[in-house]
């Protein structure tokens, strides 16, 4: 069923047909690629790994790697002989028998031998050490109309037309004020409520409408909404809040466990549910890119998710004369593991003059509303992260061999992008990201981190490792508490936070599949190594090289 097998079979059949027809002087085989006009010598690039002599091979023309499958065209000429019809019938018969035999041999060897380590028909990565160059991150931030604009390698990019991100930002500015309540750590404000107090304030909220598992929470919010309205000078006000901090990435790196532990802190509150994905998806009307666009979730729907926490900050209306809440130490967090990396929507809102690089990213819009926000990033060995991601999101027929095939296909797609675009362009390439069967780009942490650091200061971003968190939760949680300026805890509460069982661990069925193939791990280590080296250099911490880590 693999596409590469079909392509290879098609190529063989074309070659075989052409050979038969040449004997009848009725057909001519031509190569479409202009390079074939010269006399090239073809060679195979084999593996140097002794343990896996069946490692996939690449076709090379002289010193220039090219696609494995040649693009061929069979061009028919005018008939020259009386027996053309007979020759054509022979071709059809021999082609069918030849194709049947080849298919039988491939499937027999693939199924019966059980030796899939080599996966000879899948492409192999090569020359990964040269993929990262000092010129990859050619960025310079500019300030334009309330947004931080990117000047990439001397070129300033602008947005235009349609429902632009700028129009979405202006809509956010119409709802979110530029100044927040004084004396409160969290960014909160009072918004005048002009609706009917007897009507349902969440009747149009798309989160409440489409998320069945959250309807119970919204029902509770409906029942308590009126009692939390603030009366002043004959008007009604409701408290609104944005997050004080965000857990922004990465997926399968322990963000759920960090979220669950922080929820146990008495001064930390979160949205009504984890991972609303508003910044990256819902505000554009994206549920899944494969499903197209749905109704856009307005910023009001997103703010509703913080109502439960806002009520606690409000202190059940026990305010002083200035209207300041009685519980100013409470902070609100939001945890969507897509916030750091998922910019797949950008390509639908910009023109084609960006040369494949998004002119605005998620962090630009967050900064426009919350320049003082804080962010927590949890990272993991990208090789192990990718395998865990595959096991978690894979539906059926999961295996180490299948993972190897998907890795190989993803690497080929990514390499194909690099032949025409920059590394940063390929990381944010929506078409490539959606085509890759595994999310290879998510583990290229340095590209995302560098973009975040062009907008926010280093002091606003805390970067942790899952490996450190798993081995010493008390150490990492104290780093988080200090980063969020949280006060000391009692020994009982601290013990509950640090000693509770790990969340969202690998499912037993997935554990039974065992580790990835050694050859797959070697290929991925070669791919991620240069990115890890740059990450370790930026963070000034060699542990981000992940050279001697056991799998989690």
């Amino acid at each position: 069923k693999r596409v590469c097998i079909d392509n290879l079979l098609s190529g063989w059949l074309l070659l075989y047909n052409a050979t038969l027809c040449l004997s009848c002087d009725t057909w001519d085989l031509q190569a479409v690629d202009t390079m074939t006009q010269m006399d090239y010598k073809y060679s195979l690039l084999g593996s140097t790994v002794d343990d896996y002599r069946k490692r996939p091979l690449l076709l090379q023309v002289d010193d220039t790697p090219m696609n494995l499958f040649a693009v061929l065209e069979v061009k028919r000429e005018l008939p020259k002989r009386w027996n053309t019809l007979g020759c054509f019938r022979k071709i059809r018969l021999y082609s069918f028998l030849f194709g049947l035999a080849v298919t039988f041999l491939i499937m027999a060897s693939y199924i019966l031998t059980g030796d899939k380590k080599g996966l000879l028909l899948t492409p192999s990565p090569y020359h990964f050490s040269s993929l990262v160059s000092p010129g990859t991150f050619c960025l310079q931030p500019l300030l334009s109309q309330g947004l931080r604009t990117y000047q990439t390698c001397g070129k300033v990019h602008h947005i235009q037309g349609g429902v632009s991100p700028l129009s979405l930002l202006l809509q956010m500015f119409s709802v979110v004020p530029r100044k927040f309540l004084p004396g409160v750590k969290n960014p909160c404000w009072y918004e005048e409520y002009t609706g009917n107090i007897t009507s349902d304030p969440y009747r149009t909220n798309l989160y409440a409408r489409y998320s069945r598992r959250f309807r119970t929470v919204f029902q509770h919010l409906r029942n308590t909404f009126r009692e939390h309205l603030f009366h002043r000078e004959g008007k009604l006000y409701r408290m609104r809040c944005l997050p004080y901090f965000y857990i922004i990435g990465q997926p399968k790196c322990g963000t759920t466990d960090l979220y669950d532990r922080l929820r146990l802190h008495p001064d930390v509150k979160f949205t009504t549910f984890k991972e609303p994905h508003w910044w990256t998806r819902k505000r554009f009307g994206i549920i899944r890119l494969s499903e197209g666009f749905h109704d856009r979730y307005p910023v009001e729907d997103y703010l509703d998710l913080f109502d439960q926490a806002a009520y606690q900050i409000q202190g059940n209306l026990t305010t002083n004369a200035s209207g300041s809440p009685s519980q100013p130490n409470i902070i609100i967090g939001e945890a969507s593991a897509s916030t750091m990396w998922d910019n797949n929507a950008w390509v639908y809102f910009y023109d084609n003059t960006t040369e494949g690089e998004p002119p605005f990213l998620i962090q630009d819009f967050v900064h426009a509303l919350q320049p003082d926000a804080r962010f927590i990033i949890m990272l993991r060995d990208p090789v192990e992260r990718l395998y865990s991601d595959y096991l978690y999101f894979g539906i059926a027929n999961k295996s180490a061999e299948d993972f190897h095939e998907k890795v190989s296909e993803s690497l080929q797609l990514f390499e194909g992008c690099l032949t025409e675009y920059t590394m940063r362009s390929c990381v944010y390439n929506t078409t490539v990201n959606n085509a890759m069967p595994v999310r290879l780009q998510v583990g290229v942490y340095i590209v995302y981190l560098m973009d975040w650091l062009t907008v926010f200061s280093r002091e606003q971003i805390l970067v942790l490792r899952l490996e450190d968190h798993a081995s010493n939760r008390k150490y990492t949680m104290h780093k988080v508490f200090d980063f969020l300026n949280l006060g000391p805890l009692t020994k009982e509460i601290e013990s509950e936070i640090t000693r509770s069982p790990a969340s969202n661990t690998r499912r037993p069925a997935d554990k039974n599949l065992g580790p990835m193939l050694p050859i797959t791990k070697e290929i991925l280590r070669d791919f991620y190594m240069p990115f890890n080296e740059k990450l370790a250099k930026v963070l000034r911490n060699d542990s981000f090289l992940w050279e001697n880590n056991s799998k989690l």
Side-chain angles (χ1 to χ4, degrees):
K1 293 182 180 180
R2 294 174 304 175
V3 175
C4 56
I5 292 180
D6 295 337
N7 290 341
L8 187 57
L9 285 176
S10 299
W12 283 343
L13 290 175
L14 285 172
L15 288 171
Y16 188 73
N17 289 350
T19 303
L20 290 174
C21 293
L22 284 174
S23 64
C24 299
D25 293 330
T26 58
W27 299 81
D28 180 32
L29 180 66
Q30 292 185 343
V32 173
D33 198 325
T34 57
M35 290 192 301
T36 58
Q37 297 175 5
M38 302 177 64
D39 183 18
Y40 285 101
K41 296 180 180 179
Y42 292 82
S43 61
L44 288 177
L45 298 177
S47 171
T48 59
V49 183
D50 294 336
D51 296 336
Y52 294 90
R53 299 191 178 278
K54 293 184 179 181
R55 185 172 177 175
L57 302 174
L58 276 178
L59 190 63
Q60 176 172 316
V61 182
D62 286 345
D63 295 328
T64 305
M66 64 177 292
N67 291 335
L68 181 62
F69 307 116
V71 182
L72 301 176
E73 178 184 9
V74 179
K75 181 178 180 182
R76 185 169 186 177
E77 295 180 350
L78 294 175
K80 295 182 181 180
R81 298 195 179 186
W82 61 270
N83 63 343
T84 300
L85 183 60
C87 180
F88 183 72
R89 289 176 176 174
K90 288 183 179 180
I91 290 171
R92 293 183 59 185
L93 177 61
Y94 293 152
S95 297
F96 173 78
L97 294 176
F98 180 77
L100 186 63
V102 170
T103 303
F104 176 80
L105 290 175
I106 290 177
M107 297 306 296
S109 62
Y110 186 77
I111 298 174
L112 298 179
T113 62
D115 182 15
K116 301 181 185 179
K117 293 181 180 179
L119 300 175
L120 297 177
L121 297 179
T122 58
S124 168
Y126 63 98
H127 300 321
F128 287 119
S129 59
S130 63
L131 292 186
V132 179
S133 62
T136 299
F137 309 103
C138 183
L139 301 174
Q140 180 180 350
L142 301 174
L143 189 61
S144 173
Q145 301 180 28
L147 283 176
R148 291 177 63 88
T149 311
Y150 279 124
Q151 177 176 339
T152 57
C153 300
K155 182 175 181 180
V156 179
H157 305 294
H158 305 280
I159 56 178
Q160 67 175 22
V163 183
S164 70
L166 182 57
S167 66
L168 296 179
L169 181 64
L170 293 177
Q171 190 265 339
M172 286 188 279
F173 278 144
S174 69
V175 176
V176 179
R178 306 308 299 149
K179 293 183 179 180
F180 305 116
L181 289 174
V184 183
K185 291 176 63 176
N186 213 81
C188 298
W189 67 97
Y190 279 106
E191 172 187 276
E192 183 179 359
Y193 184 72
T194 58
N196 188 339
I197 61 173
T198 61
S199 63
D200 179 7
Y202 303 105
R203 66 185 181 279
T204 61
N205 189 294
L206 295 178
Y207 283 106
R209 184 184 302 176
Y210 296 121
S211 303
R212 292 182 179 178
R213 57 195 177 113
F214 307 132
R215 289 177 183 173
T216 302
V217 176
F218 277 104
Q219 186 59 45
H220 172 72
L221 291 173
R222 291 185 187 97
N223 296 336
T224 59
F225 179 77
R226 279 180 288 178
E227 66 184 73
H228 291 293
L229 288 175
F230 176 59
H231 299 259
R232 188 173 185 180
E233 298 179 356
K235 295 182 179 180
L236 296 177
Y237 295 86
R238 64 187 296 191
M239 177 171 278
R240 290 294 212 176
C241 296
L242 282 169
Y244 175 78
F245 72 97
Y246 294 83
I247 299 176
I248 62 175
Q250 290 284 59
K252 304 313 298 176
C253 290
T255 56
T256 299
D257 186 75
L258 179 62
Y259 164 82
D260 285 339
R261 294 181 193 281
L262 276 174
R263 289 175 62 196
L264 299 175
H265 195 290
D267 291 339
V268 177
K269 308 301 175 183
F270 279 93
T271 48
T272 55
F273 54 87
K274 185 177 181 287
E275 296 194 310
H277 297 299
W278 184 79
W279 286 102
T280 56
R281 301 167 188 171
K282 301 297 174 45
R283 70 189 177 107
F284 298 111
I286 296 174
I287 307 299
R288 297 178 183 86
L289 276 176
S290 60
E291 299 177 358
F293 289 90
H294 298 259
D295 294 334
R296 292 189 296 110
Y297 287 43
V299 65
E300 292 89 344
D301 288 13
Y302 180 58
L303 294 176
D304 286 346
L305 303 181
F306 302 98
D307 278 0
Q308 205 168 33
Y311 294 158
Q312 298 183 57
I313 293 178
Q314 190 175 354
N316 293 323
L317 301 182
T318 56
T319 59
N320 56 31
S322 64
S324 298
S326 62
Q327 298 185 30
N329 292 325
I330 291 179
I331 60 174
I332 304 176
E334 197 257 71
S336 295
S338 65
T339 306
M340 180 178 179
W341 67 273
D342 189 353
N343 283 273
N344 283 324
W346 79 269
V347 73
Y348 300 104
F349 299 98
Y350 301 102
D351 57 21
N352 294 325
T353 64
T354 61
E355 297 180 355
E357 295 195 3
F360 298 101
L361 297 171
I362 299 304
Q363 51 266 41
D364 294 302
F365 297 97
V366 178
H367 182 273
L369 260 67
Q370 295 180 258
D372 299 322
R374 293 173 175 266
F375 306 91
I376 301 175
I377 299 172
M378 185 85 86
L379 302 180
R380 176 186 189 178
D381 180 352
V383 177
E384 297 296 337
R385 192 219 70 81
L386 188 63
Y387 190 50
S388 179
D389 194 71
Y390 162 80
L391 293 177
Y392 184 81
F393 292 102
I395 299 176
N397 302 321
K398 291 181 290 188
S399 67
E401 293 79 13
D402 180 67
F403 177 64
H404 180 93
E405 290 186 40
K406 286 179 167 54
V407 166
S408 299
E409 183 180 346
S410 300
L411 287 169
Q412 186 190 40
L413 290 169
F414 199 77
E415 287 177 355
C417 180
L418 289 173
T419 60
E420 299 184 24
Y421 300 98
T422 65
M423 175 60 66
R424 184 172 179 271
S425 299
C426 294
V427 168
Y428 289 117
N429 190 303
T430 300
T431 302
V432 173
N433 291 346
N434 292 336
M436 288 192 294
V438 290
R439 299 194 293 187
L440 189 76
Q441 81 283 2
V442 175
V444 187
Y445 305 138
I446 184 59
V447 173
Y448 305 113
L449 181 61
M450 291 293 286
D451 279 340
W452 278 87
L453 289 175
T454 64
V455 179
F456 294 96
S457 68
R458 181 67 182 86
E459 290 72 26
Q460 291 176 264
I461 302 176
L462 175 64
V463 184
L464 304 171
R465 293 195 330 146
L466 174 59
E467 291 82 3
D468 300 330
H469 181 66
S471 62
N472 192 341
R473 295 188 183 96
K474 185 176 181 178
Y475 169 76
T476 56
M477 294 309 299
H478 272 279
K479 290 192 68 173
V480 172
F481 297 156
D482 292 341
F483 177 71
L484 299 177
N485 297 317
L486 294 170
L489 295 169
T490 64
K491 291 184 178 180
E492 291 76 16
I493 296 178
E494 182 175 311
S495 177
E496 183 183 6
I497 292 175
T498 58
R499 296 183 181 181
S500 58
S503 302
N504 203 23
T505 57
R506 186 169 295 178
R507 294 170 293 218
D510 292 338
K511 288 182 179 180
N512 294 334
L513 295 177
M516 71 183 82
L517 298 176
I519 186 62
T520 315
K521 179 176 290 189
E522 179 191 351
I523 290 171
L524 288 173
R525 290 223 177 278
D526 290 342
F527 173 74
Y528 285 119
M529 182 184 301
F531 303 110
N532 294 343
E533 289 174 349
K534 184 174 282 288
L535 178 68
K537 185 176 181 179
V538 169
L539 296 177
R540 299 179 181 179
N541 187 341
D542 287 344
S543 65
F544 287 94
L545 294 171
W546 285 287
E547 291 179 327
N548 299 305
N549 283 311
S550 59
K551 60 180 179 294
L552 295 173

